[in-house]
Amino acid sequence: MVTPSNTGEGRTALADTRAAWVNLRSGPGTGYADIGDIRDNTLVQYFPDTRQGDWIYLRQYGLAGWVHTGFIQFVPVAADPPTAPDRPTPFDGHIGMWHWQGGAVQETTIEQLISNLKRRVTNLTQLFIKTSEGTSWQGEFDSKPDLSVDGPEDLTRWGEICQRNGITLNAWCVPRGIGSIREEARVMIETCNHPMINSLILDVEPYDGYWDGTQAQIRELMIAVRREVRGDFHIGLSVDPRPWHYATIYPESWKPFVNSVHPQVYWEIFGSTPESELQQMYETWLQYGLPIVPLLQVNAPINEIREAHSLATARFGAQSLNWWRYGVGTSAELSALNLPIPDTDVVPTPPPDDGGTTDPGDTLVDEILITPGDADFARGTYGGDVDFRAYVQRMGWQVYYTPTEARQSSVWAMWTPRVDISGEYAVDVYIHKPFSTTRNARYRVYGVKDGDQEVLVSVDQSINTDGWYRLGVFDFDRNLPNVGRIFLNNATGESGRYITFDAIRWRRSVSVDVGGGDVPNATNNGMIVKDGVIYADGFDSPVGNQGNSGDREGDRVWPVGWRDASPYAEPYLFSSYLGRYTSVHTGADLNWGSGAYDDVGQQIYSVASGVVVYANYRPSWGNLVVIQHDPYIRDGRRVSSRYAHMIRVDVKVGDRVGRGEVIGTLGGTPNWVPHLHVDVMPASTMERNVEDWPPSRYMEGKSVSTMTNAEYQTWINRVTSDILKDYFDPQLFIQNNRPNRG
């Protein structure tokens, strides 16, 4: 950051930007990094004495940087500078973990849970447990009595065990506003007044099953609580922080009664990135005027967990962090939480962006995928007229769905993986719209080590977007009967909703040991097996023949006769009449020969060993294949590759492929002249969306043709920045990571 040596006197003003926002840069020029955005009509503090040419230095809440004065004007206002709230909270300097319910974890006692949690997150100092929902204690919804909360006596049990382990106990609840407000207040008051409870966080979200009362009832409930609770007791508000949800929860009605905000920054669930979601959250909620404690997600790529930690504390000045939730993070993901909260007087520099790679260490391998219709999937009915209905969803496999039943199930489904190795597995279910409307899909997990019963995980299918949802991380014992089996029926306690039965995947968490010295030669299609883990030995071209001048294993990444018509990260035109670029490329567009159709029928090869995670037709892509590659033997990183515009696909989801194995044939789509689109990216990019296309981000309802010049320049800068972060140059990546051929 280029910080002025003498800023002079600052002035408070409203930002009048030419577009919806203006870029904030780390120095006075376009060559400096884009570190954030200043939104139109928001308060800023700018410093006239710092002006360098067309650039001026300003601050806004936790951000400070340079803006181009050609894109912003300052409207003077009589207001205090927009600084981040600095009121102390009980959470400052602490790392906290949230726990949902006993049925969602494999432990059966509080002692087991706290012991395992402290072993995996050594810096943990605070725990947040769910205590109530509406008028009911949480135990009414829990399946494990020893972990449930049915009243103050259970809070004592939790508190004493936490205290012995150096953990401060906090509570969270879901206020409902239905039934008796007085009874709902009573449960909250008993929680707040318990000597073991440090704070109470109210989970208020704009979905079914959360606050369903009026604004007047918010005041009625919270006045009743505050009258009976000591004045210095801390109550917080946890929210879905996306701006379109802000007004729906009546934030101003809660504000007089709460002391902090705990925004749910779930970038992976939202299909976004830590930087984008944190930036958006702070822009939306800093103006609320209360201290912010980000609630970040545990089940995400390790590098993204670390990035979220650093951005929240170093860029935005968070004094503490919470994490959602115990039971869904692998040992490696949980260990990434151990970064300390920096001292308030020292603001560390975030670690440099490493292009999405991860440090060698634990990772997820050996994917087992079972889709409805596979041999390891079974389904049936209990008689009667209710049966399954089916359709093919966008991932390319069949999905079953049926109406929910309030009391007695009428259908069931079962997924039974072949777990050959005992160990820790992350289990994810795919949830696809439009028939996922149940709020209580009850998945049962079998074969968990040291468990005296199956683990029951309740999932709200209605609020999950199309994609994978983490059921949890479980220690499976291959010697137990039905190990890894998942069972689901349609008894949800609801009528008038639908439940879906979709794909489930199991991925083993292992310690990746990339070692040092010479890399051994692969013995099987580019795969190296080491300590029970399959590694990729390197990367080759996806095109070309073998054993002649067009050799895909030769010195040239794109063999003789092949050319890249649209190189990585370069702007290009979809429609030339606009006079401006309409996209920026994530990879390479490969053609062979001199004629437009010479390359039709050319074979396409996997660039490295791995597992096919997508193989289906998509309108803009034609036949599309995505491969998640094995950890790279030299540095342990996980990458994916994507191949589009095929005339034929020779693989299916779940297939294991080797380096150089044929996966399809080039042929194009109705919209494009034949070519192969190929890109290489960190595995997490494709986890979010196999059709990810950064140029479609930040459109905000506009098209390139309707953007102002300032909006267009901001758009193309942000897109290019995202591509450089979320994708690799495929030619350079392959060139720098060729296998050792001995």
Side-chain angles (χ1 to χ4, degrees), residues 556-558 564 568 588 680 728-736:
R556 295 169 55 103
V557 175
W558 310 143
D564 184 354
Y568 167 77
V680 179
F728 301 123
D729 181 331
Q731 185 175 18
L732 287 177
F733 184 88
I734 293 171
Q735 178 178 305
N736 293 333

Side-chain angles (χ1 to χ4, degrees), residues 564-583:
D564 184 354
S566 183
Y568 167 77
E570 288 192 9
Y572 65 102
L573 298 171
F574 275 146
S575 304
S576 58
Y577 74 90
L578 291 176
R580 56 171 55 164
Y581 296 116
T582 52
S583 196

Side-chain angles (χ1 to χ4, degrees), residues 647-693:
I647 198 172
R648 192 187 76 221
V649 172
D650 296 327
V651 292
K652 65 182 185 303
V653 171
D655 282 354
R656 167 160 284 284
V657 296
R659 173 173 51 80
E661 187 169 331
V662 175
I663 61 173
T665 303
L666 190 153
T669 68
N671 299 324
W672 311 107
V673 171
H675 68 279
L676 170 65
H677 170 92
V678 61
D679 37 30
V680 179
M681 68 292 291
S684 59
T685 303
M686 290 294 97
E687 284 271 344
R688 288 191 287 269
N689 178 12
V690 294
E691 294 185 82
D692 180 68
W693 189 246

Side-chain angles (χ1 to χ4, degrees), residues 380-399:
T381 70
Y382 295 108
D385 297 329
V386 178
D387 201 350
F388 292 94
R389 308 172 194 180
Y391 69 99
V392 176
Q393 55 111 302
R394 71 185 187 96
M395 291 294 285
W397 56 68
Q398 185 169 256
V399 179

Side-chain angles (χ1 to χ4, degrees), residues 488-741:
L488 178 66
N489 61 34
N490 65 333
T492 67
E494 309 158 307
S495 299
R497 293 180 180 268
Y498 285 94
I499 184 171
T500 56
F501 302 81
D502 209 319
I504 299 180
R505 70 181 179 192
W506 297 253
R507 292 180 294 172
R508 184 163 60 104
S509 178
V510 299
S511 180
V512 169
D513 178 16
V514 296
D518 294 334
V519 174
N521 294 329
T523 58
N524 183 20
N525 281 1
M527 292 177 278
I528 298 172
V529 181
K530 184 178 179 183
D531 298 328
V533 178
I534 299 176
Y535 294 85
D537 73 335
F539 296 77
D540 279 333
S541 175
V543 294
N545 300 315
Q546 193 168 12
N548 56 31
S549 60
D551 187 359
R552 59 185 171 76
E553 300 177 354
D555 294 335
R556 295 169 55 103
V557 175
W558 310 143
V560 173
W562 289 89
R563 66 186 183 280
D564 184 354
S566 183
Y568 167 77
E570 288 192 9
Y572 65 102
L573 298 171
F574 275 146
S575 304
S576 58
Y577 74 90
L578 291 176
R580 56 171 55 164
Y581 296 116
T582 52
S583 196
V584 182
H585 210 231
T586 61
D589 279 348
L590 301 180
N591 290 112
W592 182 82
S594 56
Y597 296 88
D598 288 354
D599 44 19
V600 173
Q602 291 285 334
Q603 289 185 318
I604 301 168
Y605 306 86
S606 174
V607 298
S609 68
V611 175
V612 178
V613 296
Y614 187 84
N616 197 21
Y617 180 86
R618 301 305 300 161
S620 297
W621 300 83
N623 287 314
L624 178 68
V625 170
V626 177
I627 299 172
Q628 186 172 98
H629 296 294
D630 299 316
Y632 184 34
I633 188 63
R634 287 193 177 94
D635 58 16
R637 84 178 109 183
R638 298 295 303 273
V639 303
S640 295
S641 57
R642 179 170 59 179
Y643 313 78
H645 313 312
M646 299 186 186
I647 198 172
R648 192 187 76 221
V649 172
D650 296 327
V651 292
K652 65 182 185 303
V653 171
D655 282 354
R656 167 160 284 284
V657 296
R659 173 173 51 80
E661 187 169 331
V662 175
I663 61 173
T665 303
L666 190 153
T669 68
N671 299 324
W672 311 107
V673 171
H675 68 279
L676 170 65
H677 170 92
V678 61
D679 37 30
V680 179
M681 68 292 291
S684 59
T685 303
M686 290 294 97
E687 284 271 344
R688 288 191 287 269
N689 178 12
V690 294
E691 294 185 82
D692 180 68
W693 189 246
S696 66
R697 304 174 188 172
Y698 316 118
M699 284 295 189
E700 296 193 343
K702 296 185 177 182
S703 66
V704 169
S705 61
T706 60
M707 291 180 184
T708 66
N709 288 337
E711 290 171 336
Y712 171 72
Q713 193 59 52
T714 297
W715 169 79
I716 205 166
N717 287 344
R718 294 187 75 173
V719 167
T720 303
S721 176
D722 279 10
I723 288 173
L724 294 174
K725 177 181 178 182
D726 294 341
Y727 292 81
F728 301 123
D729 181 331
Q731 185 175 18
L732 287 177
F733 184 88
I734 293 171
Q735 178 178 305
N736 293 333
N737 295 285
R738 284 301 183 96
N740 174 17
R741 301 190 191 278

Side-chain angles (χ1 to χ4, degrees), residues 87-321:
R87 280 172 273 178
T89 73
F91 321 112
D92 291 353
H94 292 281
I95 294 175
M97 178 69 72
W98 285 45
H99 166 64
W100 173 31
Q101 62 177 1
V105 298
Q106 69 178 48
E107 291 87 355
T108 57
T109 67
I110 302 173
E111 289 87 349
Q112 285 179 346
L113 188 148
I114 298 299
S115 175
N116 288 340
L117 185 51
K118 281 292 289 185
R119 175 171 50 85
R120 292 167 172 169
V121 190
T122 55
N123 281 359
L124 183 78
T125 52
Q126 295 194 333
L127 180 66
F128 296 75
I129 63 170
K130 186 175 181 182
T131 53
S132 64
E133 184 168 321
T135 61
S136 302
W137 289 98
Q138 173 62 9
E140 183 175 318
F141 313 101
D142 214 325
S143 61
K144 291 182 180 176
D146 287 345
L147 289 172
S148 67
V149 176
D150 291 298
E153 60 281 358
D154 289 322
L155 297 180
T156 300
R157 290 193 304 118
W158 277 94
E160 290 176 345
I161 296 169
C162 284
Q163 195 172 65
R164 290 199 297 268
N165 286 274
I167 295 175
T168 301
L169 184 63
N170 301 270
W172 66 278
C173 71
V174 177
R176 293 298 312 277
I178 57 177
S180 169
I181 293 294
R182 178 176 296 182
E183 182 63 18
E184 184 162 359
R186 182 192 64 78
V187 176
M188 293 169 62
I189 291 166
E190 289 191 40
T191 301
C192 296
N193 285 336
H194 194 283
M196 294 289 189
I197 297 298
N198 194 47
S199 69
L200 175 67
I201 313 300
L202 313 178
D203 185 3
V204 180
E205 302 180 43
Y207 308 112
D208 290 346
Y210 291 87
W211 181 257
D212 200 31
T214 64
Q215 288 179 272
Q217 287 175 311
I218 294 174
R219 183 174 178 80
E220 179 185 358
L221 173 67
M222 296 310 297
I223 286 177
V225 171
R226 279 300 186 186
R227 279 177 176 167
E228 300 295 328
V229 173
R230 68 180 191 269
D232 63 346
F233 186 81
H234 193 100
I235 298 179
L237 185 69
S238 185
V239 299
D240 182 329
R242 292 173 290 183
W244 49 91
H245 291 316
Y246 182 85
T248 63
I249 64 163
Y250 312 128
E252 296 305 319
S253 296
W254 295 101
K255 187 173 181 180
F257 308 102
V258 298
N259 309 100
S260 60
V261 182
H262 300 243
Q264 300 158 10
V265 188
Y266 302 156
W267 66 91
E268 189 81 359
I269 294 172
F270 296 160
S272 184
T273 64
E275 182 175 22
S276 177
E277 291 304 316
L278 281 164
Q279 177 76 36
Q280 181 174 251
M281 178 271 284
Y282 274 99
E283 289 172 352
T284 303
W285 282 93
L286 264 176
Q287 297 180 67
Y288 196 57
L290 295 179
I292 289 177
V293 180
L295 178 55
L296 308 174
Q297 68 177 109
V298 169
N299 57 311
I302 299 169
N303 60 296
E304 293 187 1
I305 292 174
R306 291 173 177 154
E307 179 188 7
H309 188 296
S310 295
L311 288 170
T313 56
R315 179 185 293 185
F316 297 107
Q319 303 300 303
S320 58
L321 295 176

